[in-house]
Amino acid sequence: MEHYLNMFIKAIFVENVVFAFFLGMCSFLAVSKKVKTAFGLGLAVIFVMVLTTPLNYLILEYMLKPGALSWISPSLADVDLTFLAFILFISTIAGAVQLVEMVVEKFTPALYNALGIFLPLITVNCSILGASLFMQEREYSFAETAVFSVGSGIGFFLAIVLLAAIRERLRYSKIPEPLQGLGIAMIITGLMGMAFLSFSGIQL
Amino acid sequence: MSVETTVEAPKATKKEALFSKKNRRALFDPLDDNNPITVQVLGICSALAVTVQVKPAMIMAVGLTFVAAFSSLIIALIRDSIPGRIRMIVQLIIVALLVTLVDQVLKAYMFDVSKKLSVFVGLIITNCIVMGRLEAFAMAQKPWPAFLDGIGNGLGYGIILVVVAVFREVFGAGTLLGFKVIPQWFYDHGYVNNGLMVLPPAALFLIGIYIWWQRSRNTKLVNVS
């Protein structure tokens, strides 16, 4: 149990997808102007991540790994399909995002309009494909994958809401005009990244 | 597939000059006024990851330009027959196909470089520039402008990548493309490489400063985003 709790905390703070690996930066910077939209995108990312990472784990385990196909027939035991991992992972993610897009469009049109192009872009939010690839690379078990995906999703949520809150406050500060908006957001993200570096090495 | 489509592309726009004003804009705007990284806020993840050294940054830029150009071209050719609801999956499959192609070519002809880049080449699939331009431009345009737009965005991305990588390599490691540029004399007198430049936050600071410089030079970009 402690192992899972430790992994959960690590995925949120120590190895935050945004600040430690700099994944998912595009939507992170573009949708963090208001806390409300950042909140919506963060929730969407948690949802898609929790849905797709365990699904990709099952695909990897029962379709792609060497010997994984032996449940169909023993003659397939030495087929190694892991080179297809990219295409299958991204297809799963694209399918899940399409589902989320339809649900959001139907039930909360206001959020749908606010997220605009960044809803379809969750598909190419590197943090989601990144979570699946980390799961493959680190050879997690199914339970570990589930805990890791929830932690990573919450980590992204936390990061984007934090940045949105800072940017809302920034509106009242006097920043040189050309640096306003994206420029200062980049520099602040860099500073937040350095702050998050101080979490490294923490263990429960 | 791509061989057929390149032949078809110019035919479709015969009535219009090949480099009309509109097409030139599609090609050159992304280099500065509509740069994918600093203005459109796309493709930042890989800009942070591959800019520690100049050489991987350049190869990454070439790979991305290829994928962006040909995926735009293919999508623009078949845009009318893609059902709206599953357009993202179709786009991703085409992008993944092209990325696999780039990966295989690198493996066959430049094995050492491919080994260095393997993760980053795969990450082109999730590079928002490709998807963003497909959604925003290629889905609504003729093949030839879409192709130029892809090339332009790839080059605009490449410019930022190389600028950032030059700073990070020179100040972080004292080399440029692997050659030593900071003389030994400096080190003998107490000069030390800047360790911050090797860490990812440095790329964020450098891109932030680049945006500052770009927008103070070109004031119509202020408050774009």
Side-chain angles (χ1 to χ4, degrees):
Chain A
M1 196 59 221
E2 202 174 288
H3 171 63
Y4 294 116
L5 191 65
N6 197 16
M7 258 184 85
F8 184 66
I9 298 293
K10 206 171 157 192
I12 297 179
F13 294 107
V14 185
E15 296 186 345
N16 186 295
V17 275
V18 178
F19 295 126
F21 297 106
F22 292 90
L23 295 172
M25 291 300 297
C26 318
S27 35
F28 175 73
L29 286 170
V31 192
S32 58
K33 272 171 235 155
K34 278 193 205 137
V35 173
K36 212 175 151 210
T37 41
F39 198 82
L41 182 82
L43 285 183
V45 166
I46 295 183
F47 182 71
V48 174
M49 201 176 273
V50 171
L51 198 67
T52 56
T53 317
L55 205 59
N56 281 336
Y57 173 84
L58 295 178
I59 289 178
L60 182 72
E61 202 68 10
Y62 294 106
M63 283 170 70
L64 300 178
K65 273 192 178 169
L69 286 172
S70 54
W71 55 272
I72 297 176
S73 101
S75 61
L76 293 172
D78 48 352
V79 178
D80 179 4
L81 290 176
T82 38
F83 68 93
L84 284 177
F86 270 164
I87 294 187
L88 279 178
F89 283 2
I90 204 74
S91 310
T92 316
I93 293 167
V97 170
Q98 204 94 61
L99 198 74
V100 173
E101 194 185 354
M102 284 188 233
V103 170
V104 171
E105 188 180 5
K106 190 155 168 69
F107 293 109
T108 52
L111 183 62
Y112 180 77
N113 290 331
L115 292 179
I117 192 182
F118 286 96
L119 195 55
L121 280 182
I122 289 185
T123 313
V124 280
N125 187 320
C126 339
S127 63
I128 290 178
L129 183 66
S132 289
L133 292 175
F134 279 135
M135 169 273 293
Q136 181 187 12
E137 190 188 303
R138 297 176 188 166
E139 298 180 334
Y140 285 150
S141 70
F142 186 75
E144 284 173 329
T145 305
V147 171
F148 172 73
S149 63
V150 177
S152 304
I154 293 176
F156 183 87
F157 175 82
L158 183 73
I160 195 169
V161 173
L162 277 177
L163 182 69
I166 294 179
R167 286 180 77 174
E168 279 200 357
R169 299 287 300 175
L170 276 183
R171 222 166 292 153
Y172 306 105
S173 353
K174 219 171 169 202
I175 303 161
E177 221 168 54
L179 193 60
Q180 278 173 13
L182 187 57
I184 194 72
M186 286 269 187
I187 292 175
I188 285 176
T189 312
L191 291 173
M192 287 168 81
M194 285 172 76
F196 266 68
L197 279 180
S198 61
F199 280 116
S200 54
I202 289 180
Q203 205 143 25
L204 276 189
Chain B
M1 171 110 191
S2 59
V3 177
E4 280 172 26
T5 49
T6 40
V7 179
E8 262 172 85
K11 236 188 274 170
T13 51
K14 266 251 164 85
K15 291 153 250 153
E16 204 181 319
L18 221 47
F19 285 99
S20 67
K21 203 172 165 212
K22 196 175 121 250
N23 287 347
R24 272 208 309 275
R25 256 219 327 268
L27 180 60
F28 290 116
D29 261 11
L31 297 189
D32 191 22
D33 285 357
N34 198 17
N35 189 287
I37 293 182
T38 61
V39 181
Q40 299 176 51
V41 209
L42 297 172
I44 294 163
C45 331
S46 59
L48 300 169
V50 298
T51 50
V52 180
Q53 286 174 327
V54 177
K55 198 177 171 199
M58 281 160 74
I59 291 167
M60 183 72 186
V62 172
L64 184 107
T65 308
F66 172 82
V67 173
F70 282 94
S71 60
S72 285
L73 177 67
I74 294 170
I75 287 293
L77 278 172
I78 61 171
R79 67 183 188 281
D80 294 328
S81 49
I82 303 175
R85 279 292 169 210
I86 59 155
R87 64 183 192 283
M88 285 188 298
I89 300 177
V90 176
Q91 289 164 1
L92 276 171
I93 302 263
I94 288 170
V95 174
L97 192 90
L98 286 164
V99 170
T100 313
L101 204 69
V102 170
D103 194 32
Q104 299 292 327
V105 168
L106 279 178
K107 266 190 192 138
Y109 295 104
M110 306 164 81
F111 188 70
D112 50 332
V113 180
S114 134
K115 237 179 173 174
K116 228 186 197 168
L117 268 176
S118 61
V119 191
F120 304 132
V121 173
L123 274 177
I124 295 179
I125 303 178
T126 56
N127 193 309
C128 332
I129 293 177
V130 180
M131 267 288 281
R133 293 319 293 172
L134 291 181
E135 276 282 310
F137 198 87
M139 284 300 283
Q141 296 285 335
K142 290 205 178 95
W144 178 241
F147 183 67
L148 291 179
D149 182 72
I151 291 186
N153 277 287
L155 292 178
Y157 169 83
I159 288 176
I160 307 285
L161 237 64
V162 170
V163 168
V164 174
V166 164
F167 275 100
R168 288 183 76 182
E169 196 177 336
V170 169
F171 293 108
T175 57
L176 190 61
L177 283 168
F179 298 106
K180 228 173 160 70
V181 287
I182 293 187
Q184 190 59 39
W185 186 84
F186 274 49
Y187 290 101
D188 294 342
H189 289 74
Y191 176 85
V192 181
N193 284 331
N194 188 343
L196 176 67
M197 281 291 165
V198 187
L199 293 173
L204 283 163
F205 294 142
L206 286 171
I207 296 177
I209 292 168
Y210 184 96
I211 292 170
W212 188 0
W213 170 74
Q214 187 190 22
R215 289 187 183 184
S216 51
R217 195 173 42 102
N218 188 347
T219 43
K220 74 170 186 274
L221 290 178
V222 172
N223 288 328
V224 165
S225 57

